[in-house]
Amino acid sequence: MLDVNRLRMLVELSRRGTLSAVADALSYSKASVSQQLSALERDVGVPLLRRVGRGVQFTPQGNVLVAEAIGILDQLEHAQVAVAESLTEVTGTVRIAVFQSAAHSLLPRALDALKAQHPALRVEVTECDPETGLVGVSSRDFDLILAEQYPGHTRAIHADLDRVMLAHDTIALARRAGTPDAADAAAALWATREEPWVLEPAGTASRAWAEQLCRTAGFEPDVRFEIADLTAHIRLIRAGLAVGLLPELVWAGETPTVALSPLPSEPRREIFSSTRRVSVAAPSIRAVRQALASAASHNLLD
């Protein structure tokens, strides 16, 4: 019999590319991962990996076993879902990956509802960027991700994950309260061309989208502040130290404390959840998604 944990290591290596990345993801040492994969090769009786420089490459037999291992892991999860569906109470643990503004606004209400309706269900939440989180769901680090997608910036599609739209979130130009209104959305954006800006760090989808928006308007934003925390954005904008772009979700249903102006074409980002297709029917996943949808209806108008 092949060891399931070793099979998972092999699958993780196919997704993450290096032994070090697998070790970090599964909380093992690199040496331990290497030993376990060597043991798997002995169990199978053929080489699964070959050394290439400092890395490894899959043999044809290794690729065959990866495909079979993915099916085995899915079947095991399917068995767990089947058992959960037979119960009269929603139990177990759901590990959620979430981006920051959703953690502030949607999660508290959703978790309150889950605590009242399904007290035996344990929910664990980790904040991370959507790119990392989507890989994490595929790799079973998480069970569900709550992610966002900006206009014209489609997230990578993972064939093993579903995608359920939760809401649309309007993005507005944010300036210090009391800033005079411009004649229209284009004029308001153009008026910020010489202002200091606060944006999320380079390399994020929101940053790429924001820069493209400004460039389309005819200027390069003077980014003085690169900060991931949107609450810090609000503080800088409220103090008159910067202008920026804020999604509706960041206010968590409360009254905005800065001046908000519509942007050209009134762009909205998409809020969606993803889980492994084999887990879609799990009562715990269904319960969490229902609670999130209810929370979104209190904070956003779709």
Side-chain angles (χ1 to χ4, degrees), residues 31-302:
S32 179
V33 172
S34 179
Q35 290 167 4
Q36 292 297 313
L37 291 176
S38 295
L40 180 61
E41 286 184 319
R42 291 195 297 271
D43 292 342
V44 177
V46 297
L48 303 173
L49 305 167
R50 63 169 66 97
R51 290 283 178 183
V52 179
R54 292 187 174 182
V56 294
Q57 186 178 69
F58 283 85
T59 65
Q61 293 72 33
N63 287 322
V64 169
L65 187 56
V66 166
E68 293 295 331
I70 290 172
I72 290 169
L73 294 174
D74 283 348
Q75 190 59 39
L76 289 173
E77 188 166 352
H78 177 74
Q80 291 179 312
V81 171
V83 171
E85 287 183 295
S86 72
L87 301 174
T88 57
E89 184 179 26
V90 178
T91 63
T93 299
V94 177
R95 300 160 299 170
I96 305 175
V98 64
F99 63 98
Q100 187 198 56
S101 52
H104 288 172
S105 56
L106 299 183
L107 274 182
R109 183 181 292 273
L111 293 175
D112 276 346
L114 289 168
K115 182 178 180 180
Q117 297 167 13
H118 308 291
L121 180 64
R122 176 184 173 90
V123 179
E124 299 176 356
V125 178
T126 300
E127 181 185 333
C128 70
D129 65 89
E131 290 85 356
T132 301
L134 286 166
V135 173
V137 176
S138 287
S139 300
R140 294 178 169 81
D141 297 335
F142 306 112
D143 302 303
L144 183 77
I145 181 172
L146 195 57
E148 34 83 270
Q149 180 169 278
Y150 282 81
H153 290 259
T154 304
R155 296 283 181 194
I157 296 174
H158 298 254
D160 60 326
L161 305 183
D162 74 346
R163 183 173 293 195
V164 174
M165 192 62 58
L166 185 62
H168 288 87
D169 189 16
T170 301
I171 307 169
L173 175 65
R175 297 168 294 171
R176 185 176 187 176
T179 302
D181 291 332
D184 54 37
L189 183 58
W190 176 250
T192 68
R193 65 191 181 281
E194 296 181 356
E195 297 288 330
W197 276 72
V198 56
L199 292 176
E200 293 187 53
T204 60
S206 60
R207 173 65 173 269
W209 177 81
E211 289 179 334
Q212 190 59 43
L213 177 77
C214 293
R215 290 165 185 165
T216 300
F219 69 95
E220 189 73 22
D222 178 11
V223 183
R224 306 269 185 94
F225 310 98
E226 288 193 1
I227 304 174
D229 186 349
L230 292 185
T231 59
H233 288 217
I234 293 173
R235 290 178 182 275
L236 288 168
I237 295 167
R238 191 166 58 205
L241 298 173
V243 299
L245 304 173
L246 293 175
E248 182 182 357
L249 194 63
V250 76
W251 302 108
E254 298 179 354
T255 302
T257 57
V258 300
L260 299 175
S261 302
L263 289 167
S265 302
E266 298 185 350
R268 301 189 300 170
R269 64 177 181 173
E270 298 177 350
I271 312 299
F272 66 91
S273 68
S274 284
T275 190
R276 293 179 294 280
R277 294 186 185 278
V278 71
S279 298
V280 169
S284 56
I285 296 296
R286 294 203 306 264
V288 170
R289 278 182 156 167
Q290 183 177 2
L292 287 170
S294 178
S297 70
H298 283 85
N299 287 281
L300 298 169
L301 293 176
D302 194 7

